[in-house]
Amino acid sequence: MTQRNGYHKIAGQLADEIAQLESGTKLASEHELMARFGVGRASARSAVQELERRGLVRRLRGSGTYVNRRIDYVVSKEKRPSWHRTVEAAGAVPRSSVLQSEIRPTPETPAGYLGIEPGDPAHYMRRLRYVDDHVAALGEEWVACDAVTELGSAMRVEESLDELLRQMGRFDVVRSWCRTATELPTPEICKALEMTYIAPVWVIESINRDSETGVAVTYSTAWMRADMIRVVMEIGDQPPVSNH
C-alpha cells in the first residue's frame, strides 16, 4: 500500500467517525493516530491535512484539531445585512471584536461607493468576526460620518453594526449591491483568520443603503474562511414549491 493510499484510507475512516461527532469535539493528536493506525508521522499528518482540505476539521495552533461544521451564510437583498443575524439564522453563535476604529480620509473607491469626495472623512473600522467563538471572518467597513457619531465607543456596547445604525442612526439599512468571489488571502489575512495554511477564502464586498432615502451608509469588505462558511446567494423571488 502506498503512503498516499494509506493516508486516504485513514482519512476516510476518520471522516466516517467525525460525521457522528459534535462540532468542536477535539480529535486525536498525530502521535495518537500514529499509534492507532500503525503509520509514520507523514501519513498521520497527511490524513489530518486531507480532512482539513475537505472542511471536516480545523486545526488551531498550539491547541489541536477539532471537528468542523460549515454554516450557510445567506446573502440576499431581502435579508438584513447583519453578520450577527445571518449567523444566528444558520444556528450558530455570532460574535465580533473591534481591532481598529477611527475617522480617516476616505480612499477613492470607498468614497465613490459612499457618494462622498475622496479624502472626505469617514469612519473606518476593522473587525474580527466569530462563529461559536472561533475566528471565521475579517471585515473592513467604511461608515458615513453622518450615520453615527463615536462609532468605536458605541460598538463596545452593541456588537452589531446593523443594529447600531438602526438604534442610533435611525437607518433601515438594506443591501443594495454585493460582489462575491474567492481568492487566495494575503499572509496578513491568513494570520488574522488563524489559518494554518493558505487556502481560498470568500471575499464579499457590499454597499448598504437606507431603504427610505437611498443614501449609502456603509461600504464593507469581508474575508471569510471557506472551511467554516459556505456563502449562499439568493437572487430574485423564490419559486413556489410544486407538489408534483
Side-chain angles (χ1 to χ4, degrees), residues 15-236:
D16 291 340
E17 296 172 3
I18 286 171
Q20 309 302 319
L21 301 176
E22 293 186 0
S23 178
T25 301
K26 189 172 183 178
L27 299 183
S29 67
E30 289 182 5
H31 285 291
E32 291 170 327
L33 293 177
M34 290 165 58
R36 175 183 172 184
F37 292 100
V39 296
R41 179 184 293 274
S43 292
R45 179 166 297 174
S46 294
V48 174
Q49 290 173 341
E50 176 63 22
L51 294 173
E52 194 171 14
R53 279 192 290 268
R54 297 184 194 181
L56 299 178
V57 303
R58 60 175 174 269
R59 290 188 294 170
L60 303 179
R61 289 188 180 92
S63 178
T65 303
Y66 298 84
V67 174
N68 183 58
R69 295 280 186 272
R70 290 203 302 171
I71 66 167
D72 282 353
Y73 190 88
V74 180
V75 177
S76 169
K77 193 173 182 179
E78 286 69 39
K79 297 183 184 295
R80 283 170 58 172
S82 167
W83 166 263
H84 285 71
R85 281 184 172 264
T86 304
V87 171
E88 285 177 345
V93 178
R95 184 167 66 85
S96 64
S97 63
V98 177
L99 301 177
Q100 186 177 359
S101 178
E102 62 187 17
I103 294 179
R104 61 165 63 171
T106 313
E108 184 174 355
T109 296
Y113 288 149
L114 290 175
I116 60 179
E117 293 295 322
D120 282 356
H123 292 287
Y124 170 79
M125 186 164 58
R126 187 177 176 92
R127 288 191 292 168
L128 279 178
R129 300 170 181 177
Y130 298 78
V131 172
D132 295 334
D133 278 333
H134 297 290
V135 175
L138 173 68
E140 289 187 346
E141 294 150 301
W142 292 89
V143 184
C145 280
D146 293 341
V148 62
T149 58
E150 301 297 334
L151 180 63
S153 58
M155 290 297 296
R156 288 194 287 270
V157 178
E158 171 57 64
E159 287 189 6
S160 170
L161 177 59
D162 174 73
E163 193 64 37
L164 185 66
L165 291 170
R166 291 170 187 273
Q167 293 176 2
M168 297 184 63
R170 303 295 189 269
F171 289 106
D172 179 20
V173 180
V174 295
R175 197 187 307 273
S176 66
W177 174 83
C178 180
R179 176 166 56 196
T180 304
T182 58
E183 66 178 35
L184 289 176
T186 65
E188 178 192 6
I189 292 174
C190 275
K191 182 177 180 181
L193 293 178
E194 298 182 357
M195 299 173 66
T196 57
Y197 66 98
I198 297 178
V201 296
W202 293 104
V203 183
I204 301 180
E205 288 183 86
S206 296
I207 299 173
N208 301 324
R209 298 179 182 274
D210 177 46
S211 63
E212 182 177 347
T213 64
V215 172
V217 179
T218 68
Y219 163 68
S220 64
T221 304
W223 295 266
M224 300 184 180
R225 289 185 56 149
D227 61 341
M228 298 181 65
I229 292 173
R230 186 178 73 143
V231 175
V232 178
M233 302 292 293
E234 291 185 351
I235 302 173

